[in-house]
Amino acid sequence: MLIHRLDLDVAIYRNRVQLTHLPTDTFVDQRAEYAFSTDDSLVAHGRFLEDTMVRAIRQIVATGGFSLRDPIAHVVRCDGELTDEERAVIESALRETGMKNVVFELGD
């Protein structure tokens, strides 16, 4: 079995996250069980965003063959512009899921 590094592209939408692991062509579209978005903020509830991310990551790693050494998340897409506070919430949520590196690649 080939072992892949957990290197994910992350897209965050209102109460939904999409994760893609490009080397294995694994894609997960995960709806939030508990709403993390509000009318005013894409990520108003960090704990609920984290819960949604964990559910999506579990689906990715369930396919097998992943090294959890130095996992990285590339935030590549979001609904609208992010405030500094929202970026901090997203980074914190991803780090709480076990991501060692969080990189924002939104084309700012």
Side-chain angles (χ1 to χ4, degrees):
M1 172 187 291
L2 187 59
I3 304 296
H4 297 279
R5 180 173 173 211
L6 190 58
D7 186 344
L8 302 173
D9 282 356
V10 178
I12 302 171
Y13 303 102
R14 297 214 171 262
N15 297 313
R16 159 182 261 128
V17 298
Q18 294 178 338
L19 302 182
T20 306
H21 184 259
L22 296 175
T24 60
D25 202 30
T26 305
F27 173 80
V28 173
D29 182 11
Q30 180 69 48
R31 286 181 174 259
E33 188 169 317
Y34 305 102
F36 58 79
S37 299
T38 63
D39 290 341
D40 298 326
S41 178
L42 177 63
V43 290
H45 305 286
R47 192 179 94 219
F48 298 151
L49 173 62
E50 179 187 338
D51 176 74
T52 305
M53 292 284 191
V54 166
R55 291 172 188 279
I57 291 168
R58 281 184 188 155
Q59 290 181 55
I60 298 265
V61 298
T63 62
F66 286 95
S67 168
L68 298 180
R69 183 173 180 217
D70 297 323
I72 185 168
H74 303 269
V75 181
V76 296
R77 204 167 299 112
C78 288
D79 271 347
E81 296 288 322
L82 294 177
T83 65
D84 290 341
E85 289 174 355
E86 289 172 322
R87 281 179 183 254
V89 170
I90 291 168
E91 182 171 356
S92 176
L94 284 165
R95 288 191 185 281
E96 287 296 320
T97 67
M99 293 294 136
K100 298 293 183 220
N101 296 302
V102 178
V103 180
F104 287 87
E105 298 175 356
L106 299 170
D108 301 306

